[in-house]
Amino acid sequence: MESDLGNTADRIAALKDHFVWHERFEPLQERLSLLMEKRLADLSADRITEARGIALSGASGTGKSRAMTHLISGIWKRFAEHDLPHGAIISLRVPSPATLKSVGQMVLRALGYKLSAERQAWYIWDLVRFQLRERKVLFLHLDEAQDLSSRGTRNEMTSVASMLKTLMTDEDWPVGIILSGTTELEEILNHDPQLARRMNTIRFDPISAGANAEDVQGLLAGYAKRGQIRLASDTVGIPLSERLIHAAAFQFGLVIEIIIEAIELAYVRGDEILSQHHFAQTYTDRTACADAFNPFIVDDYYAIDARRVFTRETDRD
Ligand SMILES: Nc1ncnc2c1ncn2[C@@H]1O[C@H](COP(=O)(O)OP(=O)(O)O)[C@@H](O)[C@H]1O
Ligand SMILES: [Mg+2]
């Protein structure tokens, strides 16, 4: 095997670039298509109806951002058929700290509009609404949307929620809102039933060793094939998949990250076969935790809480 570093970087980049389809994306994709087709039909018929939205929630590392990016690139293709530019859907990460004002400023910037002076929130959002219409933006996607409530003040949360409602119900130019974020995002929706009513909530649940070990086994085999590396006998079975799921704190995306990092380690070392010790080292590198807490090393790994990644010997009791 070639252990040249430039070559390794290219091969890893190619592995990272690959998107793994998972059946959990189907409900999300369906809802998104439905929203989009409805809006495109309204647009063609010169009809204005209230827009709706989608809220995608799930733990960090489950794959929400990646799924959204992937699905949005599919939406671009559909837009192109309608002569709509990519900008007809805007995807942004909510700034932190998020206030009504900072979110408005960020959206304006994304719309290419520069504020010439310090302005108040209501002024900024008036401009946002005007610019959304001018630039024919149909959808606004906000990632890490749980940060919209991070300020914690009820007032700020209420005003953000009502602004999102206002965008969706605009009489001239309704904009569909897509939110993705951790489960705290659901608090914003629970806080405002009128907003919740206009949003479909989809959740990416954690995976489990019982239900998903075989999928993960297939996932690993797929990456090994793609990465042209052979699997040692200690990595082909269900036991390793179960350890992997555990080490990834039951998050789909993190499983993929660990697989790619283990392959990278093998490349860098010039090893031709991927084995369990590559996974063990990857886990150590990621978490800096002791062997006694490494799910790829100990046998009773069920008790290890991989979410507490910085566990050390001293934490044991
Ligand atoms: N379907 C997928 N195919 C390939 N890699 C993925 C997929 N889903 C997630 N990942 C990878 O897993 C990691 C975590 O995913 P991410 O989308 O950032 O999770 P989240 O936004 O839920 O915190 C990222 O490195 C991402 O590239
Ligand atoms: Mg994310």
Side-chain angles (χ1 to χ4, degrees), residues 16 61 66 219 223 244 248 251-264 279 282 286:
K16 285 189 176 161
R66 187 72 190 263
L219 198 64
Y223 271 103
L244 191 46
Q251 304 311 330
F252 176 72
L254 295 186
V255 167
I256 294 176
E257 269 188 8
I258 294 175
I259 292 175
I260 295 177
E261 279 169 30
I263 294 177
E264 182 170 18
F279 286 90
T282 294
R286 284 178 76 96

Side-chain angles (χ1 to χ4, degrees), residues 233-293:
S233 57
D234 63 3
T235 56
V236 289
I238 291 291
L240 184 96
S241 303
E242 290 183 352
R243 289 177 193 268
L244 191 46
I245 290 170
H246 205 89
F250 310 101
Q251 304 311 330
F252 176 72
L254 295 186
V255 167
I256 294 176
E257 269 188 8
I258 294 175
I259 292 175
I260 295 177
E261 279 169 30
I263 294 177
E264 182 170 18
L265 183 64
Y267 285 168
V268 169
R269 289 183 175 172
D271 296 341
E272 290 180 16
I273 296 175
L274 185 67
S275 54
Q276 187 160 327
H277 71 82
H278 292 115
F279 286 90
Q281 186 61 46
T282 294
Y283 191 82
T284 304
D285 293 346
R286 284 178 76 96
T287 64
C289 81
D291 286 359
F293 296 100

Side-chain angles (χ1 to χ4, degrees), residues 18-20 25 59-66 223 252-253 256-257:
H18 173 64
F19 180 80
V20 180
F25 301 145
S60 169
T62 192
K64 304 176 297 293
S65 301
R66 187 72 190 263
Y223 271 103
F252 176 72
I256 294 176
E257 269 188 8

Side-chain angles (χ1 to χ4, degrees), residues 25 27 34 38 70 75 80 90 95 108 138 145 154 162 168-169 177 194 205 226 229 243 257 262 273 277 310 312:
F25 301 145
L34 212 66
K38 191 174 162 294
H70 181 81
I75 290 178
I90 292 188
L108 265 191
L138 306 180
R154 266 187 114 64
S162 76
M168 284 195 276
T169 54
I177 302 291
Q194 284 184 322
D205 288 319
R226 200 167 271 279
I229 190 161
R243 289 177 193 268
E257 269 188 8
I273 296 175
H277 71 82
F310 291 105
R312 293 183 200 272

Side-chain angles (χ1 to χ4, degrees), residues 93-99 102-104 106 109 143-144 147-148 150:
R93 191 208 177 286
V94 167
S96 185
T99 58
S102 67
V103 175
M106 176 192 62
R109 269 197 303 276
D143 197 13
E144 303 291 356
D147 284 347
L148 292 173
S150 65

Side-chain angles (χ1 to χ4, degrees), residues 181-195:
T182 60
T183 42
E184 291 142 47
L185 163 58
E186 292 175 25
E187 274 170 38
I188 302 176
L189 301 178
N190 291 338
H191 177 75
D192 190 322
Q194 284 184 322
L195 177 63

